[in-house]
Amino acid sequence: MGLASEEKHIFSVVHESHYLSAYKMFLDNPITGIGINNFKYLCNSDEYYKKLMVNYDCASHPHNIYIQWLTEGGIIVF
């Protein structure tokens, strides 16, 4: 039997890291969000970047439209 990971991830490790970074941004700015198209600028910051064992580059968006609306526009846009 091979070694199997017991960890569960949403789609993939990289997608999950995008979601978690976006969620942290939303929690810091829940009403107004971080601003439209600002995810790509903030996701590499130490505050939001999740260190992974895989090679991970920041994306231009969190790969989920609802998470993107909440993160960039806050409750007002959502």
Side-chain angles (χ1 to χ4, degrees), residues 17-18 21-22 25 34 38-51 56-62:
S17 66
H18 290 321
S21 294
M25 291 177 203
I34 60 170
N38 282 332
F39 179 83
K40 59 187 164 192
Y41 301 116
L42 293 177
C43 73
N44 273 332
S45 69
D46 291 336
E47 186 177 357
Y48 302 117
Y49 184 75
K50 183 180 178 195
K51 306 286 188 247
Y56 161 63
D57 290 326
C58 202
S60 60
H61 60 283

Side-chain angles (χ1 to χ4, degrees), residues 3 5-6 11 13 18 32 42-45 52 56-57 71:
L3 296 175
S5 174
E6 295 296 323
F11 297 116
V13 175
H18 290 321
T32 60
L42 293 177
C43 73
N44 273 332
S45 69
L52 298 173
Y56 161 63
D57 290 326
T71 301

Side-chain angles (χ1 to χ4, degrees), residues 34-39 41 69 72-73 77:
I34 60 170
I36 304 303
N37 293 327
N38 282 332
F39 179 83
Y41 301 116
W69 288 345
E72 295 183 351
V77 168

